[in-house]
Amino acid sequence: EPTMVAACIDKGLMDALFCADCFDDCQAILQAVHRVLKPEGIFCFYSYSQPEFVLPALQKTFLTPTRLWQSVQVRHDVSNHILWYVWKKAPAATAKSKPKARWPPQRR
């Protein structure tokens, strides 16, 4: 059911797909999780991959015109080896709003 889940945790699938260069599959997972999360719901996944590699590869989903995700935080575990990516879904009003079109179109 859409918008029924408050939080979702992934323990290794995202990291495995990312390490296998399956970025489209990672995007599909983010979109599927976004669909079932409640507004302002949380998606967490664990990864050994550093943010400078993970975030640019996943920015397609994060930086959409409708702003599907409100924020992404990256935290280290106690051993400082595993990273915890915490994605927060945008509030309902933001997630459903469409980008404003300019009318009339401006000439250059």
Side-chain angles (χ1 to χ4, degrees):
E1 292 282 329
T3 66
M4 295 298 293
V5 179
C8 179
I9 298 175
D10 171 62
K11 191 177 161 191
L13 179 61
M14 287 286 288
D15 195 39
L17 291 172
F18 181 79
C19 291
D21 293 334
C22 298
F23 305 125
D24 290 339
D25 291 336
C26 291
Q27 298 285 352
I29 290 171
L30 282 174
Q31 291 171 353
V33 168
H34 183 274
R35 183 181 57 80
V36 299
L37 280 179
K38 293 179 179 180
E40 300 186 50
I42 301 292
F43 172 53
C44 303
F45 69 88
Y46 297 94
S47 177
Y48 288 102
S49 301
Q50 295 298 314
E52 56 266 22
F53 303 112
V54 173
L55 296 178
L58 301 178
Q59 74 179 356
K60 181 178 172 183
T61 301
F62 183 65
L63 299 175
T64 62
T66 55
R67 210 44 218 241
L68 298 177
W69 300 98
Q70 179 176 333
S71 63
V72 179
Q73 295 179 4
V74 182
R75 302 175 184 174
H76 292 271
D77 74 339
V78 178
S79 68
N80 218 20
H81 296 298
I82 300 173
L83 297 166
W84 185 33
Y85 290 83
V86 182
W87 296 67
K88 185 173 183 182
K89 183 176 178 176
T94 305
K96 291 182 180 178
S97 65
K98 294 183 179 177
K100 294 181 181 178
R102 290 186 175 196
W103 191 258
Q106 295 181 352
R107 295 182 186 185
R108 293 183 184 207

